[in-house]
Amino acid sequence: MSRFKLKKTSKIATLIIALVLPFFAMSQDSNLGNWLIYIGNKKLNSKWNIHNEVQYRNYNAVGDLEQLLLRTGVGYNLSDNNDNILLGYGYILSENYIDDTDDKTAVNEHRIFQQFTTKQKVGRVGLSHRYRFEQRFVEDDFKMRFRYFLGVKIPLQYKEEAKNPLYVSLYNEIFLNTESSVFDRNRVFGGIGYTFSDNLRLELGYMNQFFETSGRDQINIIAFVNF
């Protein structure tokens, strides 16, 4: 990569980090937990795909379940490997602590969602956008929510002739309700990823999500699989 392109990429990375880092400072009441995430994508052909996802979320390192999330869906590419629309379903089991006690209550949620994802390249920096609209059946309540996700992938090696398996992964996702108390939450993630092949990559990083008056931290281990 030329010195000019390298400087341009570095400036983009610096700008993105500068925009993301303030969100970490806004968090209150930090509670460190752990999320184990599997995201799989099965290509049926050049247009159609099946999405599968499992998230096992813990209040601590492991063993204290916060949430089990299962998602699946059918997607269609509007262009070659890009501009994907998807119709999906999710089941979520949440185990929430009651006030400041050690007692927990289980909450079941069934979710239908529609989403649109698109990708861009700015030099060697990859950008991904996801717009998702959810219809949530939480026990006896019905809720709707809009989510916007911005992901950034920055390669850490700059060799034109070789692949760049090691990269920095950053993302920000905001959640907005359709009813009163519009702001639901915001998530910010920063970590390191490694691409083993076209079909497998892993990420390890730190995620912070904050609400109006509180925040929470997680260590995330994420596996992305295409098959």
Side-chain angles (χ1 to χ4, degrees), residues 145-160:
R145 186 169 64 184
F146 175 77
R147 300 165 59 167
Y148 170 67
F149 171 99
L150 171 62
V152 182
K153 183 178 177 182
I154 307 170
L156 292 179
Q157 298 158 291
Y158 302 96
K159 297 180 179 179
E160 293 286 353

Side-chain angles (χ1 to χ4, degrees), residues 55-132:
Q55 297 193 24
Y56 184 75
R57 303 173 178 178
N58 295 273
Y59 285 105
N60 52 26
V62 69
D64 188 5
L65 179 65
E66 177 185 4
Q67 196 171 68
L68 173 65
L69 188 151
L70 308 173
R71 283 197 192 99
T72 189
V74 177
Y76 180 81
N77 288 327
L78 300 177
S79 60
D80 293 340
N81 298 314
N82 198 4
D83 298 331
N84 182 271
I85 56 174
L86 183 140
L87 174 64
Y89 163 79
Y91 168 74
I92 299 92
L93 169 64
S94 301
E95 293 191 358
N96 304 322
Y97 279 102
I98 302 173
D99 299 326
D100 295 325
T101 70
D102 292 330
D103 298 325
K104 298 170 77 174
T105 181
V107 178
N108 291 279
E109 177 181 346
H110 298 274
R111 185 181 298 174
I112 299 171
F113 63 94
Q114 304 81 40
Q115 72 178 32
F116 170 72
T117 57
T118 185
K119 300 176 183 178
Q120 298 172 313
K121 275 279 192 177
V122 180
R124 283 188 169 268
V125 177
L127 303 177
S128 59
H129 307 266
R130 183 180 69 209
Y131 306 85
R132 178 180 290 170

